[in-house]
Amino acid sequence: MAVVELLRGFFVTAKHMLKRPVTTQYPEQKRPTAPRFHGRHVLNRYQDGLEKCIGCELCAWACPADAIYVQGADNTPEARFSPGERFAIDYQINYLRCIFCGLCIEACPTRALTMSNEYELADDSRETLIFTKEQLLSSLPSGATLPPHTDEEIAARGINYYGGFAGTPVLTSADRAEREDESSHIQHH
Ligand code: SF4
Ligand code: SF4
C-alpha cells in the first residue's frame, strides 16, 4: 500500500515536470500589460503644447491615499499655461502612497490626468518616488512650443480646447479690454 502511495506521489511530481512553467523570468522577460493597466500617471497637453491641467485639485480631493499635491495659480493674457482661468503651478504624485486605484483620473474634468502602462517604479530613495510636475508632464507634440503662450497667439490658432460648444472663446487682450470698457460704461449709466 505504501508503495502505491509512493508511486502516486512520483506520478504527480513527474506530471508537473512536463508542464510548461507559469512563472516569467522578470526582469529579463516582461509580460505585456493589459491595455487599460493602471500604471504611472501622465499630465497631458493639447496639440499646441498648452497643459490640460487647470489646477482644480479635484484629483487630489478624490485620492483616497492623499498622494496628490496640486497648487493652482492664475493664467494671465501674457502668460497662459492652460486654456482655463487657472493652471497647476506645482503638481506632485507621491508613489510611496499611490495605490493605483484610478479615482484621480476619473475625477479629472479635462482628461489632463491619465495613467500609462509603465509599472517599473521601484526605487531605493523616498525622494525620487515623489514625482514632480516636470516628470509627469507629457512631452511636447511635434511643432508645439512650451508654455507660457499669450492669448493673442492662442486665439490665432482657433483651437476649441474643450470640445462641445464650438464657440468656446479664448479672449485676446484687446477683447478683454473692450469687455471691461463696456462693463464700466454700463455701470456708469
Ligand atoms: S491612482 Fe488612486 S491612490 Fe494613486 S494618486 Fe490616483 S487616486 Fe490617489
Ligand atoms: S489633473 Fe485634472 S483634476 Fe487634477 S488639478 Fe489638474 S485638471 Fe484638476
Side-chain angles (χ1 to χ4, degrees):
M1 204 59 183
V3 175
V4 174
E5 291 303 320
L6 200 62
L7 288 175
R8 190 174 286 157
F10 280 138
F11 174 72
V12 171
T13 308
K15 194 172 77 178
H16 282 279
M17 283 173 72
L18 297 173
K19 281 188 176 173
R20 288 178 58 182
V22 291
T23 47
T24 305
Q25 297 303 312
Y26 180 84
E28 289 78 19
Q29 291 173 13
K30 290 171 189 167
R31 288 176 60 182
T33 54
R36 300 185 71 177
F37 180 85
H38 281 185
R40 172 203 198 290
H41 299 73
V42 180
L43 277 175
N44 297 294
R45 297 178 185 275
Y46 291 100
Q47 69 265 37
D48 59 353
L50 278 187
E51 296 164 11
K52 290 191 175 181
C53 179
I54 52 172
C56 66
E57 298 182 33
L58 285 177
C59 51
W61 283 98
C63 178
D66 200 13
I68 302 182
Y69 173 76
V70 187
Q71 188 183 344
D74 288 336
N75 284 304
T76 63
E78 294 75 32
R80 179 171 289 283
F81 291 82
S82 79
E85 279 182 33
R86 312 244 305 153
F87 72 104
I89 197 166
D90 194 3
Y91 194 103
Q92 298 170 20
I93 296 184
N94 184 339
Y95 284 106
L96 294 158
R97 285 175 169 261
C98 178
I99 55 172
F100 298 91
C101 63
L103 290 177
C104 51
I105 61 170
E106 299 288 337
C108 180
T110 60
R111 298 291 288 154
L113 191 63
T114 52
M115 292 172 101
S116 70
N117 287 10
E118 186 184 336
Y119 57 85
E120 293 183 306
L121 296 168
D123 210 310
D124 54 10
S125 148
R126 295 175 70 86
E127 287 74 26
T128 51
L129 284 167
I130 299 174
F131 277 45
T132 62
K133 180 182 168 187
E134 286 65 35
Q135 287 173 289
L136 293 165
L137 268 174
S138 61
S139 50
L140 271 184
S142 87
T145 50
L146 270 180
H149 300 170
T150 66
D151 277 2
E152 276 83 1
E153 290 167 346
I154 294 164
R157 293 175 199 143
I159 298 172
N160 178 20
Y161 294 99
Y162 298 120
F165 178 49
T168 305
V170 176
L171 292 184
T172 62
S173 304
D175 292 336
R176 200 181 294 267
E178 194 178 332
R179 280 201 181 183
E180 279 165 10
D181 192 41
E182 274 174 16
S183 74
S184 68
H185 192 65
I186 290 165
Q187 278 165 13
H188 283 118
H189 288 273

